[in-house]
Every structure is written in structure tokens, then in C-alpha cells.
Amino acid sequence: MRRFVLIFLLTGMLVPTAARAEDGYDLWLRYAPIENISLRDAYRQTIAGLIVQQSPATAAMVSQELARGLAALLGVPVPSRATVDRDGVLIVGTIAAPVIATLGWRDELTRLGPEGFVIRYARINGHRALVVASAGDSGALYGTFHLLRLLSTATPIDRLDIRERPRHQLRLLNHWDNLNGSIERGYAGQSLWRWDELPSRVDPRLRDYARASASLGLNGAVLNNVNADPRVLTAEYIAKVAAIADTLRPYGLKVYLSANFAAPRLIGGLATADPLDPDVQRWWKGKADEIYTAIPDFGGFLVKADSEGQPGPQAYQRTHAEGANLLADAVAPHGGIVIWRAFVYDAGVDPDRVKRAYLEFVPLDGTFRDNVLVQTKNGPLDFMPREPYHPLFGALPKTPNMVELQITQEYLGHSTHLVYLAPMWKEFFDADTFVKGPGSTVAKVADGSLQGQRRTGIAGVANTGTDRNWTGHPFAAANWYAYGRLSWNSSLTAEAIADEWIVQTWSRRPGAVKAIATLMLGSREAYVNYTMPLGLHHLIGGDHYGVMPEADDKRRADWSALYYHRADDQGIGFDRTRRGSAAVDQYAKPNADRWNDPETTPEILLLWFHHLPWNYRLKSGQTLWQALVEHYDRGAEQAARMERDWAALKGAVDDERHAVVAGTLRQQALDAAAWRDTCLAYFAQFSKQTMSAPAR
Ligand code: GCW
């Protein structure tokens, strides 16, 4: 017997490491065996049997995930269909389950809603049982993943009392996937959907996509690009979308589609797409009925209208609200919603691009139907590595204003640069809009608590693709993870999220965790330093990757670097003060007043709001030029240090993924140096000053 146990332990310790191909496919659901034997034994005692009681489809997901996760983490399979005749049973269920119903938790669970859950101990038949309970199937699934995360991060569970509910109702991924399989701004392969194989074959990988998303509490996916091919609304594609919906449904994910506003004309045979035309209205109602027949829980439509060449209501002299309400009326009988993007920048509206969306949407506040949400990017320009928050947050008190973040690193080094985005998103959520006095943070606008919007939501432009590791760069998965966690709870810290992700993805060893966390947490500011110091922005060309301060796009001024940096012999930066474009006045006071004056503008946004002389004195006593040189230098040095710090982790993590990251960091260091050298050489023509910093 003793020999048997010994052999078991040895194989239990050796097999998982030897058998695991570390290619990143498992993401944060890697479930590496718990190394700490006493902790592992405590887990084994607490979870020695399983009872899962909820509706069949979700119960299967919960049971499978627990079987897989527990066996891997604890090193032993945990028997399911247990009965509570001893301590040490884990019960997962909804209030409809007989065993949960006896606990007297109904009111509490109802208050937490169908996506909320509790995890705590209960006495049942005189025995101590750990219970994950929810009012709904999704909540029980999220609770299951929450518990698995606690185990995976080696958290003691002997005294749990967890109560959770999501802060935003809609927690969506926006996939910019085209019907030909390509992904706009995607850097991790092709579209996961494999449209041409659908509906007869659904790639089994979609289940793992759904698992990973559900593990973060995400509850929907917009499947296609906002630059929308109208064919996605044809019967052929609705059947394909229905097959995806069937696969995602058990994981609590609804599907949504990006709709082309001109679809009645382009695929419907009508002469117009005018929202006030009765035939057009009938067409959308019929289309909605058709979709809901195939997909009864279809989420609704996302629309990019009158933006970057996409059709919209303005072609018919109708407003964005009239356009949105047309589609909203079509889906309303089915409980559907319309998400209408505020990413518009018609040059006729104002010479300063960042002012245009506010000017168009503020007058429409209160005129959208109840089932419309506006969706606004975090900043007023376009997903730059740093922007002030979009002035529409707080300025639409009568409209649900959904947050749009970009997970895919369009302007942050694609899948080559390691940039952990949570610090950037936290800066956004924590920003104070002051619209109702101090403490009116963007987070409170977004979760509806500040202005009382009934609907809330958050969307992230996905970075997933067919690459084996899903996101191209192994660290880009941290951004999918962080987005999901923040969409559930925007008050989590970037540090805590990084730690969780590292422990589940790379290693539980404190030294390794700390080193990787340090690398991640500094990466966004490093990227800002070498690409947009002091708020300088958009020094890029069409690929949005390489450095190009001289970029001069003949198609549109506001696609040119020159339009933004405005460098000349006098100075540099975009004057958005009251003497310039007056964009500052789209913000509430005191932000407007503070940002109107370079002395009271945070230095990180100085050149976003001001055009300043090269010898302008900063608080440090440095001139503007010296500060620019120093930031570029520091950024390049930070990138070089990231490469060195990662090299030092060799042996602390698996060799396969270590080598992949080492390769990308080499390129990142080269790119960062190129950004520094190119920008300084370019701007030196105007500043007529030397490029050497004290440090160089
Ligand atoms: O950032 C820009 C991108 C476009 C994108 C657009 C948008 C989908 O360069 O590729 O189009 O924003 O958000 O609509």
C-alpha cells in the first residue's frame, strides 16, 4: 500500500509537467497542479465530492469544468453525484435546486441577480458543505470559475464568504471579423468562426473560446466587424450565426451582429434605407423576426453609422437617434437592443477631430429609445496609448453610454510589443469627470450609479484569432483577461489582476510572479514614453505600428501625424485651449479650466492640450525639449530593460513560451530605439536643439 501511494505521488508530480505542451492554448485555465502539499490536501478534504444541480445544458459545463480543473489542480479525480452524508462536498446550483432551496438564501440570491453568486459554507444534514449558489445558471457558472480561480491562485478557502455581482450588464467582446476570415486590426491569425465551414461544422475550438470568456464573466460577443458586410444578415449567414449561438449559449454568451445601415438597399432590394420610410421599417422588423426565429436569445445589433465611409441615417438628413430607433423598434418585441457607436468624426462638424462626437451626440441625449445604448471609445480620438477620457462620459445623463475599450493592440505594438493594458483602462475608469461634483468617476458613469441609467455595458475589441495561443503574443492574453475582469468589476486593481493572471498562466513561485508583474505593470508607461511622451499623439502612418512623425495623409488631414503634433520652429503640440480649438470646454469644470492652462495640465497630457515653445519650462525645471529627449530615452531604456528582465526568468518558466516572449522583446527593444531616434531626429529640425540627454 505504501509503495502504491508513493508511486502515485511521483507520477502525480511528474506526469503533468512532462505531458504539458506549453503552447499557450490553455490560457489562464491551465490548472497547474498545486505544489504546496498541505494546501492541496486541505483542498482535497474540502472538495471530496461534487453535487451539481442546475438546468441541464449549463450543469454539463459546470460539471466538466470542475472535473477537469479539480483533477488537474488536486491531482485526483473528484467523484460527482455525491450525497451530503459527510463533510467535504462541493455543491453548485441555482435556487431552483432542492438542496439550495433549503438554505434560506433565496432573497439574497434574488438580489444578486441571475449572474451574481455566493460562495460560502453551509450545514446540510449536519455536515459542512461548500456551496456555490446563484439565482441563475450563468451565475452558478461564474461562481464555479471564481472558485476554480481561487484554487488555481492557491488561495486558502477554509473561511469563504463571497458575494459577487457584475457591475455592467453587458460585457461584450467586439470582434472585427470579416466574412472572408480576415480580422480588421487583428494580429493573431484569422477569424475563429471559420464562416465557410458553418453551419455544418462548428470548430470545437469555439467551446474553449466560450469557456475562456465565461471564466471572466463575459456574456456576449458581437461576431462581425463594425465595418459591416451586409451579407451577414442574409438567411445563409443567419444559419451560420445560429450555429455559433448554439455553441456559446451554454456558457452564458449571447451573440450580436454588426449591422450595415444600408442593408435594406444592399441586400433587401429597396431603393432607400431612410429610417422614416415605412418599407425600410418593415424590412428591419422582418429581418429581426427572421433572426429571432433562428436565435431566440439573439442579443441585438451594433452599428457604426456615418463614420469612415459606413452608411448611416445622415444620407437621408436623419439623426443618429432616428437611425438607432429604427433598428431598436425592430428588435424591441424580441427583447433585443441596439448599440449605436459614437465613433464619428465628420470633418464638417469641427476642425478639431476630438470635438466632433460630442458635438453630434450631446444634442441627441434623451431622444434614443429605451433599448438603445450609445457606445463610446475611452478617449475622444482613437485608442491612443494615452488619451484623456472621452468628454461624452457624463455628458449624456439620459442615455446609457457603453464603454468601448480596445483589447487588440492597434496602436500599442500589435502582437509584437508586450504592453499590459489594465493600467491604461484603470486610468480611464478612475478619471474624475466632476459632472456631479468631485468623485464623479468614469467608472460610476459607466456602471450607471452616477446618473441612474437603467442599462449599462462595456465592450472590448477582441484580440483573439486562430493562432494556437489565441492572441499572438503570450502576454496579449493578459489583456483579454484583464478586460474581462474589469468588465465584471472595474474597481479591481491592475496589480491584483496581473498577479492572478500570472499565477494561473505562468508560475506560482513568488519570485517569478513578482518579476513578471513588474515587467507588465511598467510596460504601458514604457510604451507611452517611446511613442507619445507628454501627450504627443498619432505619430504613425497607415499600419498604426511603425514610427512616422512625418506622415501626411492626403486623403484626410486628421489621419496625418502632422495634423496632431503641429511641430514648427515655435513649438509643438495641439492647442485645444480656449485660444485654440476649445476642446477643453467639452469637459466639466474644473477639468476644463485646469486643462486650459499648461501650468495646471498634468504633464502626461501637456501636448494633447497645448502648443508650447521648445523652451517652455516644466515643473522639473527642464525645458520641453529636454523633457521630450528624456522621455524618449527612458522609454527606449525601459524596453531594453524588459528584454533583460525577461532573460533573467529563463528556467523560472517553461522554455517554449520563454523563447517566444524573448523573441518579441528583442523586436520591441529595437522598435523602441527606432521610435526615439526617429522622433528626436525629426523634431530636432524644428527645435534646432541637440538630441543628447544627460543620461546618454
Ligand atoms: O481605429 C480605427 C481603426 C479602424 C476601425 C475604426 C473603428 C473598424 O483604424 O480599423 O474600424 O477605428 O473603430 O470603427
Side-chain angles (χ1 to χ4, degrees), residues 176 184-185 225-227 304 307-308 341 343 345 353 377 382-383 404 406 410-411 461 544:
W176 288 355
E184 182 152 347
R185 312 301 176 186
N225 192 351
V226 288
N227 293 327
K304 169 177 179 177
S307 170
E308 299 188 331
R341 292 176 91 226
F343 181 65
Y345 55 101
R353 173 168 162 181
K377 293 185 182 185
D382 189 11
F383 298 136
E404 180 175 318
Q406 194 181 43
E410 174 179 356
Y411 295 101
V461 180
H544 297 179

Side-chain angles (χ1 to χ4, degrees), residues 379-633:
L381 180 46
D382 189 11
F383 298 136
M384 296 293 108
R386 170 165 279 132
E387 298 193 32
Y389 66 87
H390 199 301
L392 275 176
F393 290 105
L396 298 175
K398 297 186 204 132
T399 309
N401 195 1
M402 210 169 142
V403 170
E404 180 175 318
L405 304 175
Q406 194 181 43
I407 312 169
T408 190
Q409 292 167 237
E410 174 179 356
Y411 295 101
L412 286 112
H414 297 186
S415 57
T416 302
H417 289 220
L418 188 167
V419 187
Y420 174 51
L421 301 177
M424 177 173 81
W425 296 331
K426 286 297 291 183
E427 187 174 295
F428 163 70
F429 281 120
D430 292 345
D432 200 338
T433 68
F434 291 96
V435 292
K436 285 189 153 190
S440 304
T441 59
V442 169
K444 290 187 196 163
V445 174
D447 69 17
S449 61
L450 190 77
Q451 296 168 317
Q453 283 89 345
R454 231 172 26 84
R455 293 182 187 270
T456 58
I458 167 163
V461 180
N463 63 352
T464 49
T466 50
D467 279 6
R468 178 71 193 160
N469 71 2
W470 301 91
T471 56
H473 197 301
F475 276 82
N479 293 329
W480 180 7
Y481 184 88
Y483 165 71
R485 297 288 285 135
L486 288 171
S487 74
W488 181 271
N489 181 359
S490 53
S491 75
L492 294 173
T493 66
E495 291 77 8
I497 296 172
D499 281 353
E500 279 180 6
W501 178 78
I502 296 163
V503 167
Q504 295 171 89
T505 306
W506 294 97
S507 166
R508 291 192 188 92
R509 293 200 3 237
V513 175
K514 186 150 191 290
I516 298 173
T518 305
L519 197 94
M520 287 169 71
L521 290 165
S523 59
R524 185 272 186 139
E525 206 57 41
Y527 193 86
V528 167
N529 280 333
Y530 62 79
T531 64
M532 53 168 301
L534 302 173
L536 259 186
H537 44 288
H538 210 286
L539 306 184
I540 39 168
D543 68 356
H544 297 179
Y545 179 90
V547 51
M548 232 179 154
E550 76 285 7
D552 183 10
D553 197 310
K554 295 291 175 229
R555 293 167 299 171
R556 283 188 72 125
D558 56 14
W559 288 349
S560 302
L562 303 181
Y563 170 90
Y564 295 101
H565 66 66
R566 305 190 173 211
D568 57 22
D569 293 351
Q570 303 306 307
I572 183 169
F574 200 126
D575 185 357
R576 295 192 164 112
T577 68
R578 291 167 193 144
R579 288 190 308 183
S581 79
V584 290
D585 281 328
Q586 293 187 340
Y587 293 94
K589 291 184 181 203
N591 285 344
D593 294 338
R594 282 184 192 151
W595 299 344
N596 188 51
D597 179 353
E599 297 294 313
T600 50
T601 301
E603 274 177 15
I604 53 175
L605 288 172
L606 197 59
L607 302 177
W608 184 281
F609 287 115
H610 304 279
H611 186 84
L612 296 172
W614 297 106
N615 287 328
Y616 177 82
R617 286 272 163 208
L618 300 181
K619 296 201 185 58
S620 61
Q622 284 175 313
T623 66
L624 178 59
W625 174 254
Q626 287 165 340
L628 281 174
V629 173
E630 195 196 306
H631 274 87
Y632 277 118
D633 254 328

